[in-house]
Amino acid sequence: MKVIVDRRDGLATVVDACASGVFERPEKDESFPRGLAKEDEVAKGLVKAAWDRKEIRGKRGEVTVVHRPDGRGRLLLVGLGPRNRFDAEGVRRAAATAVKALKGRGARTVAFRLPSFQTEGLPTETVARALTDGAVLGSYEFVKYKTKTEGGVEEVSVALGEEHARDEAGVKKAVAEQHDLAETVLWTRDIANLPADTATPERLAEEARALAKEFGLKVTVFDETKLAEMHCGGILAVGGGSSHPPRLIVLEYPGGSKRGRTVAVVGKGITFDSGGISIKPALNMASMKFDKSGAVAVLGILRAAATLKVPPRVVGVMCCAENLPSGTAYRPGDVVRTYNGKTIEVLNTDAEGRVVLSDGLGYVVAQHRPDEVIDLATLTGAEVVALGDDTGGLVSNDDRLAQGLLAASATTGEPLWRMPLTDYHRELVKSDIADVRNSIEIPVAGMLTAAAFLENFVGTTPWAHLDIAGPAYTTLTTKKYQPAYQNLGAVGFGVRVVTRYLIDSARAGA
Ligand code: BES
Ligand code: ZN
Ligand code: ZN
């Protein structure tokens, strides 16, 4: 999708549709909003007529189409809800709603009248950014396997209008950055949505190689032979049951500033999680192709870092394996030795994410000595129960890092919620016969015992763990409760929030 910034009023441009935001009026106030005067003028009274007929009410998610009598396309009136509860997330949702409403209806170009989406306290650049984000993200559909597709909006213009024309330079910069970032999210979704027969660990390695080539990054792929030499017993054990062998993939982006710090991002890349010998029930097992979402988000973050030239050096690590039952699969009771020398007692082969991450985390901490480590993983069903389908769980041993991620979360609209990590959780993951165990006998604090397990592999490095089991993908049932910029399937969760953190934390002098 193309996104441009236009100094003119959206109503004066030649487009298939011009979208305006409409705020909900306080109850009993039936008067026609002054903000719609220009729309009504070009529509020769049709907007006011629709208002009087109560077709337009400004409710969130409401879209009304009015055709311009002069034949110059249509007006899209997009409900924004009450003005006093409106924010950047509201803009993002409204833009996505508009783009979705136009899908398959012959509109290729749409202009957003920026001032109509603005309210007190929302800077013009923030509105422009959110419009871009929502429009690009909302346009996505996974179409790789469709033989027929519906056309949608191809070009979006952020129309400033006279009163905002002086902000043009700043808006252009913000829009360009957000456009790059949102396009990377779509790219990430396309890979995360691939089924497991296609997106094997080796295929993910190929994606990493192609990305490295395109952006001049360094890439290293450790195959099963190399992993054995390196004593990566965790990732080898988990991948042992599949005919698609495991891979540990390392991508390095050198950083945009000389004296920048190094941030490692590590992702869980289970290309399919059947549970292994501790096999999962059949219901919804198909969605376990999304168990690679953490590793694919790492790919996306590296792509965004390189595209936007973020200040810190970034090392991306993808821990990729397929978890299947077979005669060569690892089993409950096995003990494996990991890269950093620590041993794991495997009690449940379905708690495999933490087992592959143990090698990835141990490796990156020892070999790259990062200033910070952030891991992303669809790690526990307990995370979904605790925080739902939209919010990621954040566990961290470092308040500054945690605060930085929460700030980026507020900016980008990818919700995160911090959870505690205590000695109680650490005690629970101790094993009788090895250093740690991957599962415990009582079903308590599953998200936090998983985090306590991971902590063993980061040492004292400032570390943040993002359990994205809930928000990584939507299903037919959860989709209808999600904002319009989320699609069915993988949503690329984590790319925007972590990239934002990489940019903003450097600006803050870290
Ligand atoms: N991949 C799953 C976690 C998951 C569940 C992700 C639902 C997305 C949606 C993970 O490997 C898993 O199976 N975890 C177990 C751990 C348990 C056996 C200790 C879980 O959460 O039940
Ligand atoms: Zn599992
Ligand atoms: Zn899993």
Side-chain angles (χ1 to χ4, degrees), residues 268 273 280 288 291 348 350-354 378-382 384 438-439 469 473:
K268 167 177 173 180
D273 182 12
K280 287 181 182 294
M288 283 301 122
D291 213 21
N348 187 323
D350 195 14
E352 82 298 335
R354 63 199 80 182
T378 47
L379 205 60
T380 65
V384 195
N438 81 334
S439 154
Y473 62 91

Side-chain angles (χ1 to χ4, degrees), residues 133-407:
D133 213 22
V136 175
L137 296 176
S139 71
Y140 180 81
E141 225 186 318
F142 182 55
V143 293
K144 186 180 159 68
Y145 299 105
K146 289 265 188 210
T147 51
K148 261 202 218 124
T149 57
E150 280 180 338
V153 171
E154 287 161 8
E155 186 179 302
V156 166
S157 68
V158 175
L160 293 172
E162 226 125 275
E163 71 217 86
H164 291 88
R166 64 191 136 79
D167 300 328
E168 191 183 6
V171 167
K172 273 198 164 146
K173 217 171 144 247
V175 165
E177 183 181 273
Q178 200 61 42
H179 186 209
D180 281 343
L181 187 49
E183 288 287 348
T184 286
V185 174
L186 305 197
W187 178 87
T188 308
R189 289 175 180 177
D190 265 342
I191 299 174
N193 276 318
L194 291 174
D197 63 337
T198 305
T200 60
E202 175 52 28
R203 167 66 183 267
L204 294 179
E206 274 166 31
E207 295 290 346
R209 287 188 197 103
L211 180 72
K213 195 161 173 216
E214 187 179 346
F215 290 96
L217 308 177
K218 185 174 173 199
V219 61
T220 317
V221 177
F222 300 109
D223 65 11
E224 65 277 25
T225 317
K226 198 78 188 108
L227 288 168
E229 284 169 22
M230 290 157 69
H231 303 290
C232 286
I235 193 166
L236 282 169
V238 173
S242 171
S243 57
H244 301 294
R247 298 284 183 264
L248 184 72
I249 305 159
V250 183
L251 278 160
E252 294 170 60
Y253 158 77
S257 86
K258 277 243 154 55
R259 27 171 217 97
R261 67 202 203 285
T262 299
V263 180
V265 278
V266 181
K268 167 177 173 180
I270 300 301
T271 58
F272 187 71
D273 182 12
S274 69
I277 300 290
S278 315
I279 199 160
K280 287 181 182 294
L283 188 72
N284 297 331
M285 205 202 268
S287 54
M288 283 301 122
K289 70 168 184 171
F290 299 121
D291 213 21
K292 61 185 179 300
S293 298
V296 181
V298 166
L299 261 185
I301 291 162
L302 266 289
R303 187 180 193 267
T307 314
L308 301 177
K309 302 193 172 58
V310 304
R313 186 170 104 87
V314 186
V315 182
V317 178
M318 300 158 65
C319 310
C320 303
E322 185 174 35
N323 188 21
L324 292 180
S326 85
T328 56
Y330 78 142
R331 20 179 135 47
D334 286 359
V335 175
V336 299
R337 198 167 84 88
T338 69
Y339 182 87
N340 81 354
K342 289 206 181 182
T343 54
I344 301 171
E345 180 186 14
V346 175
L347 290 175
N348 187 323
T349 63
D350 195 14
E352 82 298 335
R354 63 199 80 182
V355 180
V356 296
L357 286 168
S358 66
D359 283 327
L361 290 168
Y363 172 84
V364 80
V365 166
Q367 293 300 319
H368 292 271
R369 305 203 171 279
D371 298 286
E372 293 161 18
V373 184
I374 301 168
D375 77 72
L376 300 103
T378 47
L379 205 60
T380 65
E383 192 276 332
V384 195
V385 173
L387 296 175
D389 285 295
D390 65 333
T391 301
L394 162 66
V395 177
S396 181
N397 62 4
D398 187 90
D399 289 343
R400 195 200 54 78
L401 174 57
Q403 289 308 324
L405 283 165
L406 290 174

